[in-house]
Amino acid sequence: MIETPVFLQDAQDILTEQGFTASQVWYHGTSSALVPAILEQGLKRSGDQALAEKEQKTLATIGDQYQPAVEPVFLTPSQELAYYWACQTVRRRGVRFAGEETPVVLALTLPADVAQQVRPDVGAASLLLLDEGEAYLAYLASIYQRLGLNPPEIDLAKAAREDYLQQLGMAYIDADLPASCVSLCQP
């Protein structure tokens, strides 16, 4: 199980029986290797270009025509949940790149008009059916249980759109975010 650093444990402030509360501050988990570029250029859709290029080259060796999709920027209302996804990013990158990378959480303070563009990530339903998603649901359940709350019992096929944000803490924005709204979460 992932051990979230204490300074990122914010669920006690934003998780209620109804689920996560959101504000104009959102969080994104990533790798320390990507932070300098993000702080300089902002958070871009389909942002890990180095990893995408490695995957494209790998698929080209087997004759596959790789067509990269433009993915949105994935967000969460919780630093704890962003840390989980940061760990996953480090794990994925570790398969392709040598070096020491660590999980990092970024805070995104969005202007009101931009914050209104954040949407529940219902596309995560397919991810949650995979091992990575199962691990996320276990991690999420541990947060609920730590706070004395019942973990969400959600039927992914029938869940309301808002449940993906409120109960699972999964959201996205289909826009690039400027560096001016990004800051590093630190102790």
Side-chain angles (χ1 to χ4, degrees), residues 139-156:
Y139 178 77
L140 182 67
S142 72
I143 293 171
Y144 273 83
Q145 291 165 344
R146 185 182 81 226
L147 299 176
L149 300 170
N150 292 322
E153 293 182 21
I154 187 168
D155 180 343
L156 299 174

Side-chain angles (χ1 to χ4, degrees), residues 102-133:
T102 57
V104 174
V105 174
L106 302 173
L108 298 120
T109 305
L110 305 179
D113 60 323
V114 176
Q116 290 177 356
Q117 297 174 42
V118 175
R119 300 285 178 253
D121 187 8
V122 296
S126 60
L127 168 70
L128 296 175
L129 299 174
L130 303 174
D131 288 342
E132 186 178 37

Side-chain angles (χ1 to χ4, degrees), residues 91-111:
R91 182 186 57 76
R92 275 192 310 277
R93 287 181 56 82
V95 171
R96 303 275 186 193
F97 302 103
E100 292 293 317
E101 296 186 24
T102 57
V104 174
V105 174
L106 302 173
L108 298 120
T109 305
L110 305 179

Side-chain angles (χ1 to χ4, degrees), residues 6-131:
V6 173
F7 79 95
L8 294 173
Q9 293 181 12
D10 63 350
Q12 68 276 1
D13 300 323
I14 62 169
L15 183 59
T16 69
E17 288 182 20
Q18 291 73 42
F20 290 93
T21 57
S23 68
Q24 285 181 252
V25 179
W26 292 87
Y27 300 95
H28 178 81
T30 193
S31 167
S32 57
L34 302 174
V35 170
I38 292 170
L39 292 178
E40 181 182 317
Q41 302 169 18
L43 198 51
K44 309 260 185 211
R45 291 171 287 174
S46 298
D48 193 343
Q49 296 303 311
L51 186 58
E53 287 172 15
K54 289 273 189 181
E55 290 171 353
Q56 184 175 7
K57 287 178 183 175
T58 299
L59 290 172
T61 64
I62 60 171
D64 194 351
Q65 296 296 327
Y66 178 77
Q67 294 295 323
V70 176
E71 292 186 0
V73 174
F74 296 103
L75 303 172
T76 178
S78 167
Q79 294 175 72
E80 277 184 78
L81 299 180
Y83 185 77
Y84 175 86
W85 295 112
C87 290
Q88 299 312 305
T89 299
V90 168
R91 182 186 57 76
R92 275 192 310 277
R93 287 181 56 82
V95 171
R96 303 275 186 193
F97 302 103
E100 292 293 317
E101 296 186 24
T102 57
V104 174
V105 174
L106 302 173
L108 298 120
T109 305
L110 305 179
D113 60 323
V114 176
Q116 290 177 356
Q117 297 174 42
V118 175
R119 300 285 178 253
D121 187 8
V122 296
S126 60
L127 168 70
L128 296 175
L129 299 174
L130 303 174
D131 288 342

